[in-house]
Amino acid sequence: MTPRIPSHDAGLAPTFRAFVDALQAVDPRLVERFFVPGEQTLLGRAGGMVVGFGSVVEAVRADPLPAIEGLVQTHQREIGPEGTLITLTHRAPGGGRGVMTLLWEDTPEGWRIASAQVDTPTLAIDPRIWREAGTPLLEPQGSGRLDGLGVALADVIRVAGHRTGLGNSAVLEVSAPAATSASVVTTTLRAGASLVGLAQLEELALGGTGAGQAGMPVNARAVDRIPGGAMSGATTAVAHGQADIALGTDSGGSLLVPASYQGLFGLRSTHGSVPTDGVTTVAPSLDTIAWATRDLDTLGVVTEALLPEAGRREPDEVLLCPDLLRVADPDVVRAIDAITGRWDNGVLPLRMVDLPRSTVAGWGDTFRDVRDLEAAAQYGDWALVHPDDLGQEPEAVLRSGRALAADGADRVRRAQAAARASVAEAIGNGVLVVPTTATVAPTRDLGGAAGRRGRQRTTLLSAIAPLGSLPALTIPLATRRRLPAGLSLVGPMGSDHALVALTRRLLAGARSAFA
């Protein structure tokens, strides 16, 4: 049966037909042609909303609305003399059906869309998120705390019988299937989890945007913005509901930054507390196992499963440094102030501390030098043989590391030892409150020079925990514009479980301020 074309008004039917034609043709100016140019224009898709005509234009330019193959069904409901709600079902070119709900408004310029909700078929394997996936890829090997949970595994962790690609097709081509799985994979499966698949990452886990060789995944919480971070494939899978747990590594925000950008909880474990055998680490002295989830309860059970004995040190105070907060943008600081301004000293005593910006900047420089030096030791020989198989950002990191190795390695190691001692002295047995990132996620065009400066400031914040070998937990917040941001609790070595417990108490007392 041919779907009925809306007939609320003589002008709506041809406009609707033109809109359908534009969807089929993937018209790049579809929003400009058919949406109301107003501040309240709304687009909902992939679990997130974009508000305002300009923002909708940018979001659709970065990630176009899906093409349709043809209409299957339409349903309309008139809402007064100047509005019609149309829900349509369509065939997708790749198979399956999608649904759109459109609120059409009769404006002086003709019928235009004031609000749209787009629900399209999900690909079995979105290549921007998954390198390999199944239903599941591996079944549980036991039963325990993780029963019923699915894991998105970053492609730096080996799985028996599967190849590891490190986000690079040239590496994947020459790698052999792993003979055994990494210990963390075995532990996870024995605790009852299933492995949904191997998630994409930025090349060699070096980078901060989320743009791998297969493309940039869509940020489920802010579709016009980057997912961010080397482990954004795994975190995006969780944010989209395709997995429950993102499991990867974190050297300096590799997992915590994309968790923050996408409204997730994330925990970077104390360095060395979870075995890294079978894991390719970018910088062994900085990298540690990390995980992210949509809710705190799941984060807690993963922590219990992977750290059943370790990580139970109890901090005795919370530390707040105004200068450190001011590294972040004002909207991020306001979101954090909403929590710290209502701090209950019955949770843990709160103490203001002074940490000069110059000290933090020095930590950031040291972090970058250590990462570059160790990454070059890991990948340098391979990169020299494959000069055309690397993107700009990892190539720059390895080039810097080779230069440091030739003339400066001793200086870097001395600076690392000094920074480690300085971080330990600053935190003591306390929990340091820091913004997870200096900004909300940059737009997908990366924001030019301002975006680069924002990512540099984020490095200052995300370098603290790895330099001190410390655990850090990121908590999702929302800015006044409802964009995801994050607050991190950086604790002393071995305080992993205490950070989860502290977060639970904070959530109970200040729930409305969280995302």
Side-chain angles (χ1 to χ4, degrees):
M1 182 177 69
T2 302
R4 187 164 65 94
I5 299 297
S7 59
H8 177 286
D9 181 90
L12 179 53
T15 301
F16 180 78
R17 289 192 189 96
F19 173 73
V20 171
D21 290 343
L23 281 173
Q24 291 177 311
V26 195
D27 184 345
R29 293 188 57 79
L30 181 142
V31 173
E32 292 93 323
R33 290 180 59 194
F34 295 102
F35 281 66
V36 174
E39 295 181 358
Q40 297 302 311
T41 299
L42 173 68
L43 172 65
R45 61 191 299 194
M49 294 189 297
V50 182
V51 181
F53 179 77
S55 296
V56 173
V57 169
E58 292 301 319
V60 175
R61 282 178 181 169
D63 187 35
L65 297 182
I68 71 173
E69 196 170 76
L71 295 183
V72 176
Q73 186 179 25
T74 64
H75 180 272
Q76 72 179 72
R77 180 177 180 180
E78 296 180 4
I79 303 177
E82 298 179 349
T84 295
L85 187 69
I86 300 175
T87 300
L88 64 92
T89 305
H90 66 86
R91 293 188 301 276
R97 295 182 177 184
V99 178
M100 296 186 191
T101 299
L102 311 168
L103 177 59
W104 290 85
E105 182 178 301
D106 192 8
T107 73
E109 292 76 29
W111 286 93
R112 295 291 184 269
I113 298 169
S115 178
Q117 172 65 41
V118 179
D119 178 17
T120 55
T122 301
L123 294 173
I125 298 181
D126 182 340
R128 298 170 298 180
I129 297 176
W130 299 105
R131 183 177 68 73
E132 186 178 359
T135 55
L137 191 65
L138 288 179
E139 297 282 354
Q141 297 176 0
S143 180
R145 296 182 182 276
L146 304 184
D147 285 354
L149 299 177
V151 176
L153 193 70
D155 197 22
V156 292
I157 302 177
R158 295 188 186 94
V159 178
H162 297 266
R163 296 184 296 165
T164 302
L166 304 179
N168 184 283
S169 57
V171 172
L172 186 64
E173 287 175 5
V174 300
S175 66
T180 58
S181 295
S183 293
V184 68
V185 174
T186 302
T187 299
T188 302
L189 297 180
R190 286 178 178 171
S194 60
L195 178 61
V196 179
L198 305 178
Q200 296 281 14
L201 67 153
E202 289 193 69
E203 290 181 87
L204 309 185
L206 295 170
T209 67
Q213 286 189 334
M216 183 184 291
V218 175
N219 184 331
R221 286 293 303 274
V223 296
D224 58 332
R225 295 173 180 272
I226 68 171
M231 304 291 150
S232 56
T235 52
T236 301
V238 172
H240 280 277
Q242 297 178 9
D244 303 294
I245 304 163
L247 188 59
T249 59
D250 188 279
S251 55
S254 308
L255 186 136
L256 295 192
V257 167
S260 176
Y261 282 167
Q262 298 185 79
L264 302 177
F265 291 88
L267 179 67
R268 168 198 160 86
S269 61
T270 296
H271 186 269
S273 61
V274 181
T276 56
D277 61 286
V279 180
T280 301
T281 51
V282 172
S285 72
L286 303 173
D287 279 20
T288 189
I289 301 297
W291 47 94
T293 63
R294 292 186 297 276
D295 62 88
L296 183 62
D297 287 343
T298 304
L299 192 82
V301 297
V302 178
T303 306
E304 291 288 348
L306 297 184
L307 292 171
E309 305 298 334
R312 298 189 181 275
R313 176 176 177 176
E314 292 292 335
D316 51 27
E317 63 179 346
V318 171
L319 309 173
L320 188 64
C321 174
D323 285 343
L324 201 55
L325 289 181
R326 285 193 284 269
V327 172
D329 286 349
D331 56 343
V332 175
V333 175
R334 280 193 295 268
I336 294 174
D337 283 344
I339 305 301
T340 58
R342 298 198 301 271
W343 194 274
D344 181 359
N345 279 306
V347 175
L348 274 182
L350 177 66
R351 180 166 66 91
M352 307 298 288
V353 296
D354 180 31
L355 194 57
R357 177 73 175 265
S358 58
T359 298
V360 178
W363 290 347
D365 291 341
T366 298
F367 166 80
R368 282 187 290 268
D369 285 348
V370 173
R371 179 202 60 189
D372 294 0
L373 183 67
E374 295 190 5
Q378 292 280 79
Y379 303 132
D381 291 343
W382 179 87
L384 289 173
V385 177
H386 299 82
D388 299 325
D389 292 323
L390 275 180
Q392 183 176 359
E393 192 162 1
E395 199 281 327
V397 168
L398 299 184
R399 184 171 61 250
S400 168
R402 289 192 294 269
L404 289 168
D407 183 21
D410 290 342
R411 173 186 60 78
V412 171
R413 293 306 183 191
R414 288 193 300 270
Q416 183 182 15
R420 181 184 175 91
S422 180
V423 170
E425 181 181 3
I427 291 182
N429 198 44
V431 174
L432 182 65
V433 175
V434 299
T436 306
T437 63
T439 69
V440 296
T443 54
R444 289 174 75 93
D445 63 4
L446 303 182
R452 287 193 297 274
R453 289 192 294 271
R455 294 194 295 278
Q456 289 167 356
R457 286 185 285 129
T458 291
T459 299
L460 301 184
L461 301 168
S462 59
I464 297 172
L467 281 174
S469 300
L470 306 179
L473 191 156
T474 183
I475 306 168
L477 305 177
T479 67
R480 290 179 179 176
R481 294 186 294 157
R482 305 306 300 168
L483 290 171
L487 176 155
S488 277
L489 305 177
V490 181
M493 292 183 68
S495 63
D496 309 61
H497 291 282
L499 295 182
V500 176
L502 177 58
T503 301
R504 187 168 283 115
R505 295 167 74 183
L506 291 177
L507 283 171
R511 187 171 301 276
S512 63
F514 290 82

